[in-house]
């Protein structure tokens, strides 16, 4: 074995029932390397790295770590050996403190005679937070005080320490703000410079091209190729991922940003927490984008517009009247795709079928009975339209990959034929082929006269898809842009920071 190889897998195979998740996968991770992993949803990326991290065991195959046979029985064992993983989904425990989350499983370090020294735990946790240059989080606070993005930062603090030799980053950047991403990039580059290694999973090709030294492409559980920095090319990567040329059309190709006069959704002088006297109008046949940094208030706008959070002052109106709560919003033909799919968008213990049909049940009902034929037809159409990888429609959603979960959260509203769609980071965690299909579907919805409020942290997505873009900072709109071939990231960024 070469001395610069930190980790090597040989012939790793893993199945889940009839599904072959990994088939004879062999890969070598070297010292000082940032190794990118990319593939369509369900290609095996997360399965491979979860085996390396100790979350689950392979059915067959071997692993070698620092020259020795390696077969961790748990993530705790993996971490003790120096292999840490930041999970794609939420990895913090609610209703306990930040400090308790950071030292979860290591409380013995602060325990004497059966009593935990909370003060010492908080002090050491805060020291670790400060070492990552995170100024917004206090170790003594309850974890519930913080949102999804801050919790992802805390996961980084929890799993990375001086003994970490390999860091696995599984789709973490999609949950982070701009500042959070920069912090993570700085960390992984530092690790690489120290001769450690990073396995970096992302669907963002620009991010992979910028961050990674080597790129491994998986398709249907097998490695289909490996590219060096010099060989990385967007069109080649896309073709390797999907097994075909998906073409150059990704975002909209037109620059006609016109839409109807009719207002389908409006927030009028809305105040909610730091959001004061906020006004915005969405029109028939319009794709209105809202962008900004984390904490700008853009995610709050989506929740208020759908009636999840009730404003202290002001009103939310649709064509059918006031939006008083999310139930009313659904009755008014509105839909909401949440950024945090596991908490707000899906019933994880429910089946793919149950999740897809849930908003549409009133329309499938006849004389208090649900038509099984119509129900099955609706589900099969969405599974086919969005290429949801599932063994069968009765499979639990929590058994799907992160990207396929996102497809389900998207599909349950497109199945309902909603007229006003509020989408908060709708393409988070999905591969380029599905993103392309989603963008084409959004464009079709616009042509059908539907109204879309697209909240996104990706400027390329906003510029590529929207008729208007409202950029928020400090809970107010700082600047609006109209669709234009000349509009670029640099035109927008100055109003965000």
């Amino acid at each position: 074995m070469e001395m610069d190889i930190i980790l090597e897998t040989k012939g790793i195979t893993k199945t889940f029932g009839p599904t072959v998740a990994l088939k004879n996968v062999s890969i070598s991770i070297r010292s000082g390397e940032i190794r990118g992993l990319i593939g369509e949803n369900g290609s095996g990326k997360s399965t491979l790295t979860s085996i390396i991290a100790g979350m689950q065991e392979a059915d067959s195959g071997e692993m070698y770590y620092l020259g020795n046979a390696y077969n961790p029985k748990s993530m705790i064992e993996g971490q003790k050996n120096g292999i840490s993983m930041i999970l794609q989904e939420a990895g913090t425990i609610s209703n306990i403190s930040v400090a308790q989350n950071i030292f979860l499983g290591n409380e013995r370090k602060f325990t004497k005679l059966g009593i935990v020294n909370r003060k010492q735990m908080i002090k050491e946790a805060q020291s670790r937070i400060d070492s990552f240059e995170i100024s917004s989080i206090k170790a003594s606070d309850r974890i519930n005080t913080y949102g999804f993005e801050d919790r992802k930062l805390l996961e980084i603090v929890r799993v990375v320490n001086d003994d970490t030799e390999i860091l696995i980053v599984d789709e973490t950047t999609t949950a982070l703000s701009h500042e959070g991403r920069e912090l993570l990039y700085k960390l992984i580059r530092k690790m690489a410079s120290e001769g450690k290694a990073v396995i970096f999973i992302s669907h963002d090709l620009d991010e992979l091209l910028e961050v990674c030294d080597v790129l491994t492409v998986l398709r249907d559980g097998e490695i289909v190729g490996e590219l060096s920095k010099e060989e990385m090319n967007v069109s080649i990567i896309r073709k390797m991922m999907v097994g075909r040329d998906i073409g150059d059309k990704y975002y909209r190709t037109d620059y006609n940003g016109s839409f109807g006069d009719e207002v389908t959704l409006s927030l009028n002088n809305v105040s909610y927490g730091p959001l004061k006297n906020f006004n915005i109008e969405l029109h028939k046949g319009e794709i209105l984008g809202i962008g900004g940094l984390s904490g700008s208030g853009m995610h709050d706008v989506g929740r208020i517009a759908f009636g999840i959070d009730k404003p202290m002052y002001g009103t939310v109106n649709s064509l059918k009247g006031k939006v008083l709560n999310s139930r009313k919003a659904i009755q008014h033909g509105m839909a909401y795709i949440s950024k945090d799919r596991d908490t707000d968008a899906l019933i994880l213990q429910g089946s793919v079928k149950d999740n897809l049909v849930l908003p549409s049940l009133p329309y499938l009902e006849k004389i208090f009975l649900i038509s099984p034929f119509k129900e099955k037809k609706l589900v099969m159409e969405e599974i086919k339209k969005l290429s949801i990888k599932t063994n069968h429609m009765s499979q639990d959603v929590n058994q799907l990959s992160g990207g396929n979960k996102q497809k389900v959260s998207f599909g349950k509203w497109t199945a309902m034929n909603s007229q006003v769609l509020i989408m908060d980071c709708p393409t988070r965690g999905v591969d380029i082929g599905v993103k392309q299909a989603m963008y084409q579907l959004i464009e079709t919805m616009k042509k059908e006269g539907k109204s879309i409020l697209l909240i996104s942290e990706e400027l390329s997505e906003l510029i590529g898809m929207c008729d208007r873009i409202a950029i928020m900072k400090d809970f107010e709109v700082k600047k609006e842009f109209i669709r234009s071939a000349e509009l670029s990231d640099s035109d927008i960024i100055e109003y965000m920071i």
Side-chain angles (χ1 to χ4, degrees):
M1 180 176 285
E2 298 175 31
M3 290 301 295
D4 68 339
I5 294 178
I6 297 180
L7 177 82
E8 187 174 21
T9 74
K10 292 185 176 181
I12 295 294
T13 296
K14 181 70 176 178
T15 59
F16 298 97
T19 302
V20 179
L22 293 173
K23 184 179 179 181
N24 198 34
V25 171
S26 299
I27 190 171
S28 298
I29 307 298
R30 292 175 166 77
S31 172
E33 178 178 87
I34 302 174
R35 168 70 63 110
L37 284 187
I38 193 168
E40 290 189 283
N41 298 126
S43 62
K45 308 179 298 297
S46 295
T47 304
L48 175 62
T49 49
S50 68
I51 291 170
I52 293 170
M55 188 187 301
Q56 59 184 332
E57 291 189 71
D59 295 337
S60 60
E62 301 172 325
M63 291 193 291
Y64 296 90
Y65 175 55
L66 298 175
N68 301 311
Y70 172 69
N71 185 28
K73 304 299 183 184
S74 68
M75 290 187 73
I76 292 174
E77 184 182 336
Q79 194 166 352
K80 284 179 179 176
N81 277 290
I83 298 180
S84 297
M85 182 174 184
I86 308 168
L87 299 171
Q88 179 180 355
E89 306 300 346
T92 53
I93 307 297
S94 297
N95 301 316
I96 61 175
S97 71
V98 168
Q100 286 172 296
N101 266 278
I102 290 174
F103 291 110
L104 200 65
N106 295 303
E107 295 88 352
R108 190 175 298 178
K109 179 179 181 181
F110 306 97
T111 304
K112 189 174 182 180
L113 300 175
I115 299 172
V116 177
N117 187 333
R118 305 273 185 201
K119 188 174 181 181
Q120 184 62 34
M121 180 189 282
I122 289 169
K123 182 179 178 181
E124 191 161 330
Q126 191 62 57
S127 177
R128 287 184 64 169
I129 292 168
D130 294 342
S131 71
F132 282 83
E133 300 178 12
I134 301 170
S135 59
S136 59
I137 302 174
K138 292 183 179 180
S140 57
D141 288 345
R142 288 176 71 79
I143 193 76
N144 304 53
T145 309
Y146 297 100
F148 191 59
E149 293 167 352
D150 283 331
R151 290 191 185 203
K152 296 310 293 184
L153 290 178
L154 287 173
E155 288 177 51
I156 298 170
V157 175
R158 187 179 72 197
V159 304
V160 179
N161 55 50
D162 293 339
D163 298 325
T164 304
E165 291 294 328
I166 299 176
L167 175 64
I168 301 168
V169 182
D170 187 1
E171 281 289 345
T172 302
T173 53
T174 60
L176 293 175
S177 63
H178 175 78
E179 302 97 316
R181 290 186 188 198
E182 290 302 318
L183 184 150
L184 181 59
Y185 296 155
K186 182 180 177 181
L187 169 66
I188 63 178
R189 285 171 178 141
K190 179 176 181 288
M191 289 185 66
S193 71
E194 294 171 348
K196 300 178 179 183
V198 178
I199 303 175
F200 193 86
I201 299 175
S202 176
H203 286 300
D204 188 329
L205 291 182
D206 292 333
E207 181 177 58
L208 289 166
L209 292 172
E210 179 185 347
V211 173
C212 300
D213 309 311
V214 187
L215 189 63
T216 297
V217 185
L218 289 99
R219 186 170 73 238
D220 297 328
E222 298 182 79
I223 292 176
V224 294
E226 186 174 294
L227 301 171
S228 67
K229 189 83 170 178
E230 296 73 28
E231 294 171 324
M232 291 183 203
N233 175 281
V234 170
S235 60
I236 291 173
I237 296 168
R238 287 177 178 173
K239 189 171 183 177
M240 288 173 70
M241 281 176 60
V242 301
R244 66 185 190 282
D245 190 346
I246 66 171
D248 295 327
K249 188 180 185 306
Y250 199 54
Y251 301 118
R252 288 169 60 185
T253 53
D254 72 282
Y255 292 98
N256 175 15
S258 62
F259 44 82
D261 295 329
E262 188 174 38
V263 176
T264 54
L265 176 68
S266 63
L267 275 66
N268 308 299
N269 297 314
V270 163
S271 293
Y272 179 83
L275 199 72
K276 306 294 183 187
N277 298 315
F278 187 85
N279 294 276
I280 203 162
E281 289 185 343
L282 175 67
H283 299 81
K284 186 178 175 64
E286 179 183 23
I287 304 174
L288 170 59
I290 300 184
L293 298 179
S294 175
S296 65
M298 60 180 180
H299 301 298
D300 301 82
V301 171
R303 291 176 61 86
I304 293 166
F306 194 64
I308 297 170
D309 294 330
K310 188 175 181 180
M312 297 169 61
Y313 305 103
T315 58
V316 179
N317 294 293
S318 74
L319 279 174
K320 294 185 178 180
K322 288 184 180 180
V323 179
L324 301 174
N325 50 48
S326 55
R327 184 184 294 273
K328 278 286 184 187
I330 294 170
Q331 290 172 354
H332 291 187
M334 294 171 60
Y336 175 68
I337 299 168
S338 170
K339 178 182 179 182
D340 189 357
R341 57 179 171 249
D342 282 8
T343 302
D344 298 331
L346 297 171
I347 302 169
L348 294 178
Q349 302 303 323
S351 68
V352 172
K353 174 179 75 70
D354 290 343
N355 274 274
L356 284 173
V357 302
L358 187 60
S360 302
L361 287 177
Y363 307 98
L364 297 172
E365 188 178 33
K366 189 173 183 181
I367 318 176
F368 305 109
L369 294 173
I370 304 296
S371 166
F373 173 77
K374 289 182 179 178
E375 191 177 39
K376 184 177 180 180
K377 183 172 182 288
L378 179 149
V379 172
M380 294 308 295
E381 283 176 355
E382 293 305 311
I383 288 175
K384 182 179 179 181
K385 182 167 64 179
L386 294 170
S387 301
I388 299 171
K389 288 189 177 180
T390 177
N391 294 333
H392 44 76
M393 66 172 67
S394 298
Q395 184 177 9
D396 284 355
V397 165
N398 62 4
Q399 295 177 355
L400 303 182
S401 68
N404 280 294
K405 287 180 186 175
Q406 188 69 358
K407 294 181 201 177
V408 174
S409 70
F410 193 91
K412 75 178 195 178
W413 295 114
T414 56
M416 187 185 165
N417 196 29
S418 305
Q419 296 302 304
V420 177
L421 297 100
I422 302 162
M423 303 181 177
D424 194 346
C425 302
T427 61
R428 181 175 82 83
V430 299
D431 60 64
I432 54 171
V434 177
K435 271 191 179 183
Q436 185 185 51
M438 284 183 172
Y439 292 145
Q440 289 173 357
L441 185 56
I442 290 169
E443 188 175 354
T444 299
M445 289 175 179
K446 171 185 166 60
K447 291 175 181 176
E448 291 172 349
K450 295 176 181 177
S451 307
I452 294 130
L453 187 65
L454 179 59
I455 302 164
S456 178
E457 295 158 1
E458 305 295 334
L459 290 182
S460 58
E461 186 169 76
L462 293 171
I463 293 168
M465 293 304 299
C466 297
D467 301 305
R468 279 192 302 146
I469 303 171
I471 296 300
M472 292 185 65
K473 180 184 175 185
D474 299 330
F475 293 88
E476 60 181 83
V477 174
K478 293 293 183 181
K479 182 74 173 178
E480 279 197 12
F481 297 89
I482 59 171
R483 186 164 187 78
S484 165
E486 287 74 44
L487 187 60
S488 67
D489 291 12
S490 56
D491 297 324
I492 295 174
I493 288 173
E494 65 174 294
Y495 297 97
M496 296 169 57
I497 299 173

